[in-house]
């Protein structure tokens, strides 16, 4: 089949269900953007900068399965790189497409703008090699093989990839062997699979105190139905790392709450410490998700299940996919059914009556816990928002999008742009602090330009409260400029008519929530809270962070 390189690239993206591509135009990527401009099956969404485009593609990938952005060589690439690194840390398959100088100019080491003017065109590629799982400079000779290879790798490993497309080859016609189908995950080695399933079945038969612990992998590889089937078949209680909150529906029989070391409930912490078999699905024990390494998981109990391997009792089983393993395990279990497990009781919180008293974190989040609905998409920034949302029992179907491992503040606002386009039929709520908002605030203009209708909660507590609790409560470096946040959307798009409100009391919050719920437009609610008011979980985390980071020279130790 004869097709141009640009058209072939867009075809491959469509086969990954990528219908929106984020980015910023630049002279080296204009040929590809012009092709998109006249392609009804894919839409380019112009962002305010490349970092925001990377965040938007990440948010899109979380709900859509894959995302993409377009940059221009050098300045655009490196502006997006922090977002690509975040996608790697959080396992989001993002395809970064970079328009580069003409191929002949790169081969001749020409001194060009957007480069270091030294004739070196390897340096940007070398940067991306550190934060992506596959890369390629596309040429007419390799386009038919390298484009499918790189995109398939993103899909299979659920990590970002990087493609450079020279500006002079987008319209070059190439020969492809066949119509490219959507990539498939690798299969299992039949012998390894049989041995692995038998060994795991035997281990579960012997276990007296088993437990299932899931991380992001269960969501990224769509393993939840199989995990739940195994939990039901063998009557195994379940828990999740903070990075996988809401992956397990929180009304699931046997769900024990979230596990974060000794910041978990005492019952769950003790159950984990006494477990004799822990089915660990892609678990990473990171400082920020374990209460600074306070976990007590018996090493001899851990059964390490990764996307394409199993580690059990000092034996490795490579070439065994997690999905195939769970299918085989269920077949070995046959028709026998274990007793049904109990559902974790829901916390009984009576909502306080709204009043004219100043809002506090406790009241606000208690009210929000009643505002969240089944199937909502929650995009949640680190800080007081992340700590509070982590402690709320969620309705079924809620999807949580956050960045607890990479932890780049400002991620969530552009990510919201991606989640809205990936799942337009769902309600999307953003919770973002004022400090984080100031990093990427301009992307509100894109939300308004695209006529998207999220509900945005801007938590205004006058600066970096999470940093104040770590160190420097009254230090100037934790201060930010006092914006009039509720008036900003009108400035960022003079044609739009968003609903905007600033609330400081329970009654004002109640009226704003009612208005936001029945408005068919973007809602922006600035919530004014005291500077040093914070959820207790965040205060404890910050104290541990302080102890971990500053050692014997800790200013608090010496105070």
């Amino acid at each position: 089949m004869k097709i141009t390189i640009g058209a072939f690239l867009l075809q491959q993206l469509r086969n990954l269900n990528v219908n929106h591509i984020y980015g910023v135009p630049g002279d080296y990527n204009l040929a590809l953007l012009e092709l998109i401009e006249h392609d009804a099956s894919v839409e380019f969404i112009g962002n305010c900068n490349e970092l925001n485009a990377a965040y938007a593609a990440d948010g899109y990938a979380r709900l859509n399965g894959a995302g993409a952005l377009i940059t221009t060589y050098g300045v655009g690439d490196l502006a997006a790189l922090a977002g690509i690194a975040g996608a790697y840390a959080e396992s989001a398959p993002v395809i970064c497409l970079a328009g580069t100088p003409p191929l002949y100019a790169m081969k001749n080491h020409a001194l060009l703008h957007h480069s270091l003017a030294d004739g070196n065109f390897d340096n940007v590629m070398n940067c991306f090699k550190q934060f992506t799982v596959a890369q390629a400079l596309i040429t007419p000779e390799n386009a038919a093989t390298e484009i499918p290879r790189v995109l398939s790798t993103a899909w299979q490993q659920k990590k970002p990839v990087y493609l450079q497309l020279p500006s002079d080859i987008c319209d070059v016609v190439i020969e492809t062997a066949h119509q490219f189908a959507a990539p498939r995950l690798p299969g299992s080695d039949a012998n390894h699979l049989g041995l692995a399933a038998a060994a795991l079945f035997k281990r579960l038969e012997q276990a007296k105190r088993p437990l299932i612990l899931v991380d992001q992998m269960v969501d990224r590889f769509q393993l939840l139905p199989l995990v739940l089937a195994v939990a039901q078949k063998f009557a195994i209680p379940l828990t999740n790392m903070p990075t996988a909150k809401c992956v397990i529906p929180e009304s699931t029989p046997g769900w024990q709450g979230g596990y974060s070391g000794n910041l978990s409930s005492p019952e769950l912490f003790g159950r984990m410490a006494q477990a004799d078999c822990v089915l660990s699905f892609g678990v990473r024990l990171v400082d920020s998700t374990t209460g600074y390494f306070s976990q007590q998981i018996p090493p001899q109990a851990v059964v390490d299940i990764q996307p394409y391997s199993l580690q059990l009792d000092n034996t490795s089983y490579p070439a065994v996919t997690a999905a195939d393993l769970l299918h085989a395990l269920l077949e070995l279990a046959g028709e026998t059914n274990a007793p049904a497990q109990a559902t974790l009781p829901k916390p009984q919180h009576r909502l306080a009556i709204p009043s004219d008293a100043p809002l506090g974190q406790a009241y606000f989040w208690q009210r929000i816990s009643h505002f969240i609905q089944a199937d909502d998409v929650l995009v949640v920034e680190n800080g007081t928002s992340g700590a509070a949302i982590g402690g709320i029992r969620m309705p079924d179907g809620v999807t949580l999008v956050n960045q607890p491992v990479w932890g780049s503040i400002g991620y969530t606002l552009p990510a919201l742009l991606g989640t809205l386009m990936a799942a337009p039929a769902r309600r999307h709520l953003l919770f973002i602090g004022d400090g984080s908002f100031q990093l990427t605030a301009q992307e509100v203009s894109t939300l308004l330009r695209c006529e998207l209708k999220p509900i945005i909660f801007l938590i205004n507590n006058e600066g970096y409260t999470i940093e104040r609790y770590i160190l420097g409560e009254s230090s100037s470096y934790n201060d930010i400029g006092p914006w009039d946040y509720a008036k900003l959307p009108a400035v960022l798009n003079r044609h739009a008519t968003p609903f905007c409100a600033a609330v400081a009391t329970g009654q004002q919050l109640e009226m704003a929530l009612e208005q936001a719920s029945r408005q068919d437009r973007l809602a922006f609610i600035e919530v004014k809270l005291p500077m040093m008011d914070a959820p207790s979980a965040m205060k404890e985390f910050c104290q541990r962070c302080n102890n971990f980071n500053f050692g014997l020279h800790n200013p608090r130790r010496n105070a």
Side-chain angles (χ1 to χ4, degrees), residues 458-479:
L458 186 288
I459 310 301
N460 182 358
N461 49 13
E462 301 180 51
Y464 298 117
T465 295
I466 186 170
E467 310 293 359
R468 296 186 198 278
Y469 270 105
I470 296 172
L471 192 65
E473 176 178 337
S474 58
S475 298
S476 61
Y477 54 76
N478 284 324
D479 297 338

Side-chain angles (χ1 to χ4, degrees), residues 470-471 541-551 554 556:
I470 296 172
L471 192 65
F541 173 83
C542 290
Q543 182 60 51
R544 296 185 186 197
C545 181
N546 173 281
N547 294 337
F548 185 86
N549 282 350
F550 304 119
N554 189 338
R556 285 187 181 171

Side-chain angles (χ1 to χ4, degrees), residues 312-380:
L312 171 61
D313 294 333
N314 297 317
T315 301
S316 295
Y317 300 86
V320 173
T321 72
D324 289 345
L325 176 65
L326 297 182
H327 277 297
L329 180 63
L330 290 168
E331 288 182 7
L332 288 175
E335 298 299 323
T336 58
N337 284 303
Q341 301 186 74
T343 300
L344 195 67
K346 289 186 178 180
Q348 300 298 316
H349 294 306
R350 180 176 295 176
L351 187 61
I353 298 174
S355 71
D356 287 329
L359 273 174
Q361 291 270 350
Y363 178 87
F364 174 71
W365 292 111
Q366 186 186 54
R367 180 63 185 91
I368 289 299
S369 71
H370 292 266
F371 185 72
I372 295 169
Q373 302 173 1
D375 299 320
D376 279 350
V377 177
L378 309 184
V379 188
V380 181

Side-chain angles (χ1 to χ4, degrees), residues 156 185-189 193 196-197 200 217-227 230 279-282 303-311 317-330:
Q156 292 170 358
L185 298 180
S188 300
D189 176 275
L193 176 62
L200 182 54
M217 165 187 150
V218 169
D219 173 65
R220 305 299 192 261
F221 286 85
Q222 300 180 322
L223 296 172
L224 181 62
L226 288 168
V227 170
V230 168
L279 300 189
S280 172
F281 287 89
V303 177
D304 184 22
I305 302 172
Q306 295 294 336
Y308 304 112
S309 67
L310 170 71
Q311 178 82 21
Y317 300 86
V320 173
T321 72
D324 289 345
L325 176 65
L326 297 182
H327 277 297
L329 180 63
L330 290 168

